[in-house]
Amino acid sequence: MNIDLQAIEDAARELYIRALKVLPPDIKQGFERLVGSESVPRAQGVLRTMVTNIEVAERTDNLLCQDTGVPIYNLRIGSGVEFDGHALKAAIRRGCERATREYPLRSSVVHPLTRRNEHTSCGIEVPVIHIDFVDTTDFLDIEMIPKGSGSENNSFLKMAIPAEGIDAIKTFVVDCVIAAGGKTCPPTIVGVGLGGTSDLCVALAKRAATRPLGTRCDDPDGALLEDELSHAVNQLGVGPQGLGGDSTAFAVHIELAATHITMNPIAVNMQCHSARRARASFTPTGVHYGF
């Protein structure tokens, strides 16, 4: 299957706009679940206000949040797809720039030293583009995630001592949620990366934080720990927007990798309640949009 680079560019543009304006169904269902289980009246009121904000934004074709985030594009490419990798990434960058200039969107991306904003949502190494490969033949999938700074600023890494075992993981995750408090605009998805090297561990935490609600860690021990930590963080009383209550997190998600016998890396990355993402799948029948 050959890839039309213009179609990739158009999809990159469209995905950025879609992700900023329409919240995925699993997140909306997560809100319904939290509203039904929240025991603190004030927290219930905060959750209902957040739900109203989502409804108004979508009804009036406005952005869910003013923070357009750092644009992230995750690609999965099938074995039968022919493409020029450099040209593919350039097409995605052009689409990201077009979304910012043509829609227009606020550009949140600046140079880390000069703080210069090119007003394109692009810069050195941004948009962030991750490419992976799948065994499906004629298939290319692009997931777009605008990662806001409120949640991204609350990212943590600990190179724990292996002898501390699982207790170190539990303590670190709980401590991170407490430290983040209301700064992450909870309820959040708490992403936890375990194992690998320091850089892989942080990447796993990001992958976990941006996974759809309702999905589980592929590793059975990881899935059990997800359940335990999800219950634990919602006993902390942080609550929606940090104002108290049971609804601190939609869930804790875990992704893990093998690691060295002398290492126990743990990373935490959080996603705010506006857990935005959009997806475009390219097949021989055309381009299909979803979440």
Side-chain angles (χ1 to χ4, degrees):
M1 185 174 78
N2 292 311
I3 294 299
D4 180 353
L5 292 177
Q6 185 60 55
I8 294 291
E9 178 183 325
D10 292 342
R13 175 192 181 278
E14 179 67 17
L15 285 172
Y16 200 175
I17 297 168
R18 284 177 179 245
L20 293 172
K21 293 168 61 177
V22 181
L23 202 63
D26 58 283
I27 306 301
K28 294 176 182 176
Q29 292 164 8
F31 267 110
E32 292 177 5
R33 176 174 55 82
L34 291 182
V35 169
S37 63
E38 179 59 62
S39 65
V40 178
R42 179 175 61 183
Q44 269 207 351
V46 174
L47 288 170
R48 293 186 189 280
T49 298
M50 297 164 88
V51 170
T52 299
N53 176 75
I54 294 165
E55 293 171 347
V56 171
E58 292 185 348
R59 185 173 66 249
T60 58
D61 197 34
N62 279 306
L63 304 190
L64 294 159
C65 174
Q66 82 281 359
D67 187 354
T68 55
V70 174
I72 302 171
Y73 292 87
N74 298 320
L75 279 67
R76 295 185 301 143
I77 302 175
S79 57
V81 178
E82 297 181 10
F83 67 99
D84 177 330
H86 183 270
L88 182 66
K89 293 176 73 172
I92 292 171
R93 186 184 184 96
R94 290 194 302 271
C96 183
E97 291 177 344
R98 284 181 52 204
T100 306
R101 287 174 168 163
E102 295 174 8
Y103 187 68
L105 304 173
R106 185 190 84 180
S107 174
S108 301
V109 176
V110 299
H111 188 282
L113 296 177
T114 66
R115 313 306 292 180
R116 178 178 173 81
N117 191 329
E118 300 293 342
H119 301 287
T120 61
S121 295
C122 296
I124 302 169
E125 298 292 333
V126 175
V128 179
I129 301 173
H130 299 293
I131 297 178
D132 200 359
F133 300 93
V134 295
D135 59 6
T136 306
T137 304
D138 294 331
F139 175 81
L140 185 150
D141 183 83
I142 304 176
E143 178 187 54
M144 196 283 157
I145 298 171
K147 192 66 164 63
S149 68
S151 59
E152 191 68 5
N153 276 332
N154 292 279
S155 301
F156 309 87
L157 173 67
K158 177 181 177 66
M159 304 302 287
I161 299 171
E164 295 175 319
I166 294 177
D167 285 345
I169 298 170
K170 295 176 182 177
T171 300
F172 184 64
V173 172
V174 169
D175 285 349
C176 289
V177 174
I178 293 172
K183 294 179 289 185
T184 52
C185 293
T188 61
I189 301 173
V190 181
V192 180
L194 301 176
T197 55
S198 59
D199 56 331
L200 175 56
C201 191
V202 172
L204 290 170
K206 175 69 66 63
R207 187 186 306 170
T210 55
R211 241 174 51 202
L213 288 177
T215 58
R216 293 176 63 81
C217 180
D218 290 336
D219 181 87
D221 292 319
L224 289 174
L225 187 56
E226 284 181 332
D227 292 339
E228 186 174 347
L229 285 172
S230 295
H231 177 74
V233 300
N234 282 326
Q235 300 299 307
L236 297 175
V238 176
Q241 298 291 39
L243 298 174
D246 309 316
S247 306
T248 300
F250 291 114
V252 175
H253 288 172
I254 293 173
E255 294 288 329
L256 50 80
T259 192
H260 193 278
I261 56 173
T262 65
M263 291 164 46
N264 189 27
I266 313 163
V268 172
N269 179 269
M270 301 185 192
Q271 178 66 302
C272 68
H273 73 271
S274 190
R276 303 163 294 175
R277 67 180 192 276
R279 183 182 304 275
S281 299
F282 292 75
T283 68
T285 61
V287 183
H288 308 278
Y289 287 94
F291 300 98

